[in-house]
Amino acid sequence: MLHSTTHTSQLTHIPLDLRTSASTRFRKGDWWKRLVILLTVDSISILTSWLLVYALFSENTNELLPPFFTSLIIQLVAISIQGNYAPGNKRHDYWCLTKTITFAHCLLIVIRVLSESFPQQNSKTLLLYWLITTSVVCFGRFAINFCLEYARKNKIVGFNSVFLICSEAEKEQALNCVQQENRYNIAGYDDYQALDEDNRLATLEKLKKLGVTEVFISLGAIKNRLYLCWLFQTSGITVHLLPMELKPIYRDLVVHNVGGMTCLSFMSPAITGKDFWLKRIFDFCFACLFLIITFPIYLVITIGIVIDSPGSPFYQQTRVGLHGKEFKVWKFRTMRTDADKMQKELEALNETKDGILFKIKDDPRVTRLGKFLRRYSLDELPQLFNVVLGEMSLVGPRPLPTRDVNKFSARHLIRQEVLPGVTGMWQVSGRSDIIDFEQVLNLDLKYIENWSLSLDFEILLKTVQVVLNKEGAY
């Protein structure tokens, strides 16, 4: 076990990322340039296609602008959803582009049928527009890729800064593999000791100063230490493994070729860029709307608590959030006002296996109304104020009290690398019925590694079901 001061020291030295509301820096600095270039070229390609078709078939040019903007938006959104603006080889996946543009044109035909304002083109015009648009967009992407490869070859544009971690015996082979890609600038090299517990934070600080965005690690350097990938990933650094011998790995990986060698890449699961803002905007809007709609419920609960037992209707407790930063979480008070003092006397009754969490099924500190509020999780409602302030998200790992975090071992700190949530995988998978913290950790990791807005919606809907059924609540 690690002492609490050790945890705090380790966490506060790890660079912040976009999953904290106070941080707005982006990781790979040139991502927005690539996006602007691709969007511009695609827009010009679509406009060129419209101009060519209407120059040949349309007698009334006043009909051009409204349908052009409709077509532009639909096709750009379709290309974006398909992932053709993402980094990597997808930008010149011409078959994927063709399928996406075909789908967008099918959607345009549906709009043509449903909307009288849409120009009444004949089938020949639509077919020609599809052929021209597909050809021009793919040609534009080909031109971008050709120019980029030429610029890289002649060192006109900068390369991604990468770092190698492997043994001295593997160094030459690793260098040769990475250099063959002609798109990386090798900023430095270190041996296995860079991953040792005493050197990890220094290694991360070194990578930060070098501007490294990706790190290549030989499989031999990271055997039995796969949790270390998180130290790099939560700093916005993509982890690649260069296996000298391929062995089964416990989790899904992206597999691609680097210099003729199979490379296993752990992509960062960090919620960054547009993902962060989508999640943050949704959290803020939903929390504000819910607070406005349910204000009478808050008022009734507040009055009920005051009548039921003496003391403030609200309770604030210090919890540990993103990167070990402490904050005050809001709850409706469900216990006696001296509950924190009584906890020390009740530690012997703790029902959790490893003692990290503190759970007692029939906790004598809980008030009469408190039992009802806990059964339906109504005591958690004030945490929406924490969501509005950006200290929490609607969905994420639950923030734990300092008493629990102080008992963490090193691998448990992974769950502190995302913004904590009002609900999460743990809550919809058993809540208080889960008394083994390792199960809690595995559920949190499952959420972090598979995050999407659709998963957030799924957890929120399941939370409602769990609360109504009073599952695992006490």
Side-chain angles (χ1 to χ4, degrees):
M1 299 293 179
L2 297 178
H3 193 270
S4 59
T5 55
T6 305
H7 295 322
T8 304
S9 175
Q10 285 184 331
L11 291 171
T12 53
H13 282 81
I14 297 177
L16 293 178
D17 57 45
L18 281 179
R19 287 161 297 175
T20 171
S21 59
S23 174
T24 56
R25 69 180 179 86
F26 297 97
R27 289 201 172 80
K28 294 188 178 180
D30 292 336
W31 72 269
W32 62 271
K33 296 179 183 178
R34 179 191 69 249
L35 181 60
V36 169
I37 292 173
L38 291 176
L39 281 172
T40 302
V41 171
D42 287 345
S43 299
I44 292 174
S45 299
I46 295 170
L47 174 60
T48 301
S49 302
W50 270 96
L51 291 175
L52 285 173
V53 172
Y54 272 82
L56 293 172
F57 292 97
S58 180
E59 296 179 358
N60 186 2
T61 55
N62 291 329
E63 294 181 346
L64 172 60
L65 287 178
F68 163 69
F69 286 115
T70 302
S71 175
L72 178 68
I73 293 171
I74 288 175
Q75 292 188 77
L76 291 182
V77 169
I79 293 172
S80 176
I81 292 174
Q82 191 62 27
N84 292 106
Y85 291 119
N89 296 328
K90 266 210 163 185
R91 70 173 181 274
H92 51 83
D93 186 341
Y94 305 115
W95 173 238
C96 183
L97 279 169
T98 301
K99 290 191 295 182
T100 304
I101 294 171
T102 302
F103 169 79
H105 278 252
C106 290
L107 194 57
L108 286 171
I109 293 174
V110 174
I111 294 175
R112 173 181 179 269
V113 173
L114 298 177
S115 174
E116 295 180 1
S117 64
F118 203 85
Q120 299 298 306
Q121 300 122 318
N122 56 36
S123 57
K124 184 178 180 181
T125 304
L126 290 171
L127 178 61
L128 184 63
Y129 175 54
W130 169 74
L131 288 171
I132 292 177
T133 303
T134 304
S135 302
V136 176
V137 170
C138 288
F139 176 79
R141 292 298 186 99
F142 173 80
I144 290 174
N145 194 55
F146 177 83
C147 292
L148 182 60
E149 292 299 325
Y150 177 84
R152 283 173 173 170
K153 185 176 180 180
N154 292 275
K155 302 188 183 300
I156 297 175
V157 297
F159 289 29
N160 285 349
S161 291
V162 302
F163 196 85
L164 299 181
I165 299 178
C166 59
S167 68
E168 187 66 34
E170 298 167 334
K171 179 180 177 182
E172 185 176 351
Q173 183 182 3
L175 283 171
N176 290 335
C177 289
V178 176
Q179 287 172 341
Q180 286 183 43
E181 289 301 301
N182 196 35
R183 59 192 179 98
Y184 294 121
N185 173 43
I186 301 177
Y189 151 82
D190 213 332
D191 59 22
Y192 297 173
Q193 293 180 354
L195 300 179
D196 289 345
E197 185 173 356
D198 295 337
N199 301 327
R200 292 169 196 163
L201 294 180
T203 298
L204 283 174
E205 188 65 28
K206 180 179 180 180
L207 298 183
K208 180 182 176 183
K209 290 180 180 179
L210 291 173
V212 169
T213 58
E214 302 178 40
V215 59
F216 287 89
I217 306 175
S218 92
L219 188 59
I222 206 167
K223 280 181 180 177
N224 301 320
R225 316 188 211 180
L226 288 177
Y227 71 94
L228 291 181
C229 292
W230 284 84
L231 286 176
F232 298 97
Q233 292 171 334
T234 55
S235 297
I237 299 171
T238 300
V239 175
H240 303 284
L241 296 183
L242 289 175
M244 300 306 137
E245 53 177 338
L246 192 60
K247 291 185 178 181
I249 304 291
Y250 74 98
R251 53 167 289 183
D252 294 335
L253 303 170
V254 176
V255 182
H256 61 274
N257 187 289
V258 174
M261 178 177 288
T262 301
C263 181
L264 309 178
S265 298
F266 290 81
M267 306 307 292
S268 173
I271 303 170
T272 60
K274 68 178 188 303
D275 292 335
F276 168 80
W277 290 112
L278 281 172
K279 185 173 175 66
R280 177 65 187 134
I281 291 170
F282 172 74
D283 285 345
F284 182 82
C285 293
F286 182 91
C288 289
L289 181 62
F290 192 85
L291 285 169
I292 293 172
I293 294 174
T294 59
F295 176 75
I297 297 176
Y298 280 75
L299 190 59
V300 170
I301 293 175
T302 300
I303 295 173
I305 294 173
V306 172
I307 296 174
D308 181 61
S309 62
S312 171
F314 295 100
Y315 171 71
Q316 279 187 304
Q317 186 182 46
T318 301
R319 298 287 179 100
V320 181
L322 181 65
H323 295 316
K325 182 179 179 181
E326 295 182 352
F327 70 100
K328 296 290 186 180
V329 68
W330 285 82
K331 300 182 72 174
F332 281 122
R333 183 173 59 82
T334 60
M335 292 186 175
R336 296 167 40 171
T337 54
D338 59 349
D340 288 337
K341 295 179 180 178
M342 290 182 63
Q343 181 172 329
K344 295 180 180 179
E345 302 171 8
L346 299 172
E347 284 286 353
L349 301 177
N350 190 1
E351 297 175 1
T352 59
K353 291 183 178 180
D354 46 27
I356 293 180
L357 304 177
F358 183 80
K359 295 288 180 182
I360 301 177
K361 193 163 188 177
D362 296 313
D363 197 322
R365 301 172 299 167
V366 179
T367 63
R368 289 173 300 173
L369 181 60
K371 291 179 179 179
F372 173 81
L373 296 177
R374 286 184 166 219
R375 188 175 300 119
Y376 291 98
S377 297
L378 294 173
D379 60 316
E380 310 284 356
L381 287 178
Q383 289 173 34
L384 292 176
F385 290 108
N386 294 108
V387 175
V388 173
L389 294 173
E391 297 169 327
M392 294 178 63
S393 175
L394 289 174
V395 183
R398 285 291 295 160
L400 297 178
T402 52
R403 175 259 178 213
D404 298 349
V405 176
N406 289 344
K407 295 178 179 291
F408 277 10
S409 59
R411 67 181 183 280
H412 297 149
L413 298 176
I414 292 172
R415 70 188 307 277
Q416 306 302 131
E417 297 306 316
V418 293
L419 207 60
V422 177
T423 185
M425 281 283 194
W426 176 16
Q427 283 66 41
V428 299
S429 303
R431 293 202 283 179
S432 297
D433 288 340
I434 299 177
I435 59 175
D436 185 351
F437 187 70
E438 290 302 320
Q439 289 181 260
V440 175
L441 180 65
N442 290 334
L443 289 169
D444 289 337
L445 291 182
K446 182 179 178 181
Y447 170 76
I448 295 169
E449 293 180 349
N450 297 282
W451 177 85
S452 67
L453 273 182
S454 61
L455 179 59
D456 277 5
F457 278 117
E458 182 182 334
I459 292 175
L460 287 172
L461 291 174
K462 196 168 182 182
T463 298
V464 176
Q465 177 186 341
V466 168
V467 169
L468 293 178
N469 292 336
K470 298 175 288 186
E471 297 176 13
Y474 58 80

